[in-house]
Amino acid sequence: AALVTPSMIGITGLAFYALTIFAPFFAPIAAQLGTTPLMLAVLVGAAQNILSKSSKYSLFDPCKEMAYIPLDQDSKTKGKAAVDVVGNPLGKSGGALIQQILIFGVGSLAAATPWLAEQFEEAMVENDAVEAAAAESS
Protein backbone atom coordinates (compact mmCIF):
# COMPACT_ATOMS: atom_id res chain seq x y z
CA ALA A 1 0.00 0.00 0.00
CA ALA A 2 2.90 2.35 0.67
CA LEU A 3 4.11 2.05 -2.95
CA VAL A 4 0.79 3.11 -4.48
CA THR A 5 1.40 6.82 -3.89
CA PRO A 6 4.94 7.00 -5.36
CA SER A 7 3.93 4.77 -8.27
CA MET A 8 0.94 6.96 -9.05
CA ILE A 9 3.04 10.11 -8.87
CA GLY A 10 5.65 8.49 -11.10
CA ILE A 11 3.21 7.42 -13.79
CA THR A 12 1.26 10.67 -13.88
CA GLY A 13 4.50 12.67 -13.62
CA LEU A 14 5.90 10.93 -16.68
CA ALA A 15 2.67 11.64 -18.57
CA PHE A 16 2.75 15.28 -17.51
CA TYR A 17 6.37 15.80 -18.55
CA ALA A 18 5.82 13.91 -21.81
CA LEU A 19 2.89 16.18 -22.69
CA THR A 20 4.94 19.23 -21.76
CA ILE A 21 8.23 18.37 -23.47
CA PHE A 22 6.93 16.47 -26.50
CA ALA A 23 3.91 18.71 -27.17
CA PRO A 24 4.37 18.64 -30.98
CA PHE A 25 4.22 14.83 -30.94
CA PHE A 26 0.96 14.87 -28.97
CA ALA A 27 -0.63 17.73 -30.96
CA PRO A 28 -2.41 15.44 -33.49
CA ILE A 29 -3.74 13.23 -30.70
CA ALA A 30 -4.90 16.27 -28.74
CA ALA A 31 -6.53 17.70 -31.88
CA GLN A 32 -8.47 14.46 -32.30
CA LEU A 33 -9.74 14.98 -28.76
CA GLY A 34 -10.60 18.61 -29.53
CA THR A 35 -8.00 20.14 -27.24
CA THR A 36 -4.30 21.03 -27.03
CA PRO A 37 -1.32 19.24 -25.45
CA LEU A 38 -1.14 22.04 -22.89
CA MET A 39 -4.73 21.43 -21.82
CA LEU A 40 -4.05 17.69 -21.62
CA ALA A 41 -1.01 18.43 -19.44
CA VAL A 42 -3.18 20.57 -17.18
CA LEU A 43 -5.74 17.76 -16.90
CA VAL A 44 -3.02 15.18 -16.16
CA GLY A 45 -1.54 17.55 -13.57
CA ALA A 46 -4.93 17.97 -11.93
CA ALA A 47 -5.47 14.21 -11.93
CA GLN A 48 -2.01 13.74 -10.43
CA ASN A 49 -2.80 16.19 -7.65
CA ILE A 50 -6.14 14.58 -6.84
CA LEU A 51 -4.90 10.99 -7.04
CA SER A 52 -1.69 11.62 -5.13
CA LYS A 53 -3.42 13.43 -2.28
CA SER A 54 -6.17 10.82 -1.98
CA SER A 55 -3.74 7.89 -2.05
CA LYS A 56 -1.37 9.65 0.34
CA TYR A 57 -4.04 10.27 2.95
CA SER A 58 -5.78 6.90 2.57
CA LEU A 59 -2.82 4.56 2.03
CA PHE A 60 0.60 6.15 2.59
CA ASP A 61 -0.03 7.97 5.88
CA PRO A 62 -1.46 4.91 7.67
CA CYS A 63 1.58 2.88 6.53
CA LYS A 64 3.87 5.64 7.76
CA GLU A 65 2.15 5.60 11.16
CA MET A 66 2.62 1.82 11.40
CA ALA A 67 6.37 2.43 11.67
CA TYR A 68 5.77 3.84 15.16
CA ILE A 69 3.86 0.78 16.45
CA PRO A 70 6.86 -1.19 17.80
CA LEU A 71 8.18 1.83 19.71
CA ASP A 72 7.44 2.58 23.35
CA GLN A 73 5.20 5.55 24.12
CA ASP A 74 8.07 7.97 24.84
CA SER A 75 9.89 7.09 21.60
CA LYS A 76 6.64 7.42 19.62
CA THR A 77 6.05 10.91 20.98
CA LYS A 78 9.62 12.07 20.39
CA GLY A 79 9.88 10.43 16.97
CA LYS A 80 6.62 11.91 15.68
CA ALA A 81 7.56 15.33 17.06
CA ALA A 82 10.96 15.21 15.35
CA VAL A 83 9.44 14.25 12.01
CA ASP A 84 6.52 16.68 12.21
CA VAL A 85 8.42 19.66 13.64
CA VAL A 86 11.81 19.31 11.93
CA GLY A 87 11.61 16.85 9.04
CA ASN A 88 8.55 18.06 7.16
CA PRO A 89 9.38 21.80 7.22
CA LEU A 90 13.00 21.06 6.28
CA GLY A 91 11.85 19.05 3.26
CA LYS A 92 9.46 21.76 2.12
CA SER A 93 12.09 24.47 2.61
CA GLY A 94 14.60 22.42 0.64
CA GLY A 95 12.12 22.03 -2.21
CA ALA A 96 11.41 25.76 -2.22
CA LEU A 97 15.14 26.50 -2.26
CA ILE A 98 15.67 24.21 -5.26
CA GLN A 99 12.75 25.86 -7.04
CA GLN A 100 14.19 29.34 -6.42
CA ILE A 101 17.63 28.28 -7.63
CA LEU A 102 16.06 26.91 -10.80
CA ILE A 103 14.07 30.08 -11.41
CA PHE A 104 17.13 32.30 -10.92
CA GLY A 105 19.39 29.91 -12.84
CA VAL A 106 17.39 29.44 -16.02
CA GLY A 107 14.97 32.36 -15.92
CA SER A 108 11.68 30.58 -15.37
CA LEU A 109 10.23 27.34 -14.12
CA ALA A 110 9.02 26.56 -17.65
CA ALA A 111 12.60 26.71 -18.93
CA ALA A 112 13.66 24.33 -16.13
CA THR A 113 11.03 21.72 -17.04
CA PRO A 114 13.30 19.62 -19.31
CA TRP A 115 15.97 19.49 -16.60
CA LEU A 116 13.36 18.57 -13.98
CA ALA A 117 12.04 15.80 -16.22
CA GLU A 118 15.56 14.42 -16.62
CA GLN A 119 16.12 14.45 -12.86
CA PHE A 120 12.74 12.81 -12.32
CA GLU A 121 13.57 10.05 -14.79
CA GLU A 122 16.98 9.45 -13.20
CA ALA A 123 15.36 9.18 -9.77
CA MET A 124 12.83 6.66 -11.06
CA VAL A 125 15.55 4.55 -12.72
CA GLU A 126 17.68 4.68 -9.56
CA ASN A 127 14.65 3.69 -7.46
CA ASP A 128 14.02 0.70 -9.75
CA ALA A 129 17.68 -0.36 -9.42
CA VAL A 130 17.52 -0.12 -5.61
CA GLU A 131 14.29 -2.15 -5.52
CA ALA A 132 15.82 -4.81 -7.83
CA ALA A 133 18.92 -5.06 -5.65
CA ALA A 134 16.77 -5.37 -2.53
CA ALA A 135 14.69 -8.11 -4.17
CA GLU A 136 17.82 -10.04 -5.15
CA SER A 137 19.29 -9.86 -1.66
CA SER A 138 16.15 -11.18 0.01
Side-chain angles (χ1 to χ4, degrees):
L3 288 176
V4 172
T5 302
S7 300
M8 188 169 316
I9 291 172
I11 292 166
T12 55
L14 286 173
F16 175 79
Y17 280 121
L19 285 165
T20 304
I21 296 170
F22 305 114
F25 175 79
F26 290 105
I29 299 166
Q32 290 286 330
L33 297 171
T35 187
T36 64
L38 177 61
M39 185 61 193
L40 288 178
V42 168
L43 292 174
V44 169
Q48 179 185 35
N49 200 14
I50 293 166
L51 293 171
S52 66
K53 295 285 186 194
S54 62
S55 65
K56 178 188 181 297
Y57 293 125
S58 64
L59 299 170
F60 186 79
D61 286 352
C63 287
K64 181 181 71 171
E65 293 297 320
M66 286 175 14
Y68 297 111
I69 290 175
L71 301 176
D72 60 82
Q73 192 59 37
D74 188 47
S75 296
K76 281 183 192 178
T77 305
K78 289 179 181 177
K80 285 184 177 184
V83 169
D84 292 342
V85 174
V86 177
N88 289 340
L90 217 66
K92 289 184 179 189
S93 298
L97 178 66
I98 291 169
Q99 189 174 23
Q100 288 300 311
I101 290 170
L102 284 173
I103 290 171
F104 288 128
V106 296
S108 71
L109 217 46
T113 300
W115 182 83
L116 286 170
E118 186 178 304
Q119 297 304 310
F120 180 77
E121 182 180 358
E122 286 178 17
M124 296 300 288
V125 169
E126 185 176 322
N127 184 42
D128 289 344
V130 169
E131 286 179 359
E136 287 178 8
S137 67
S138 59

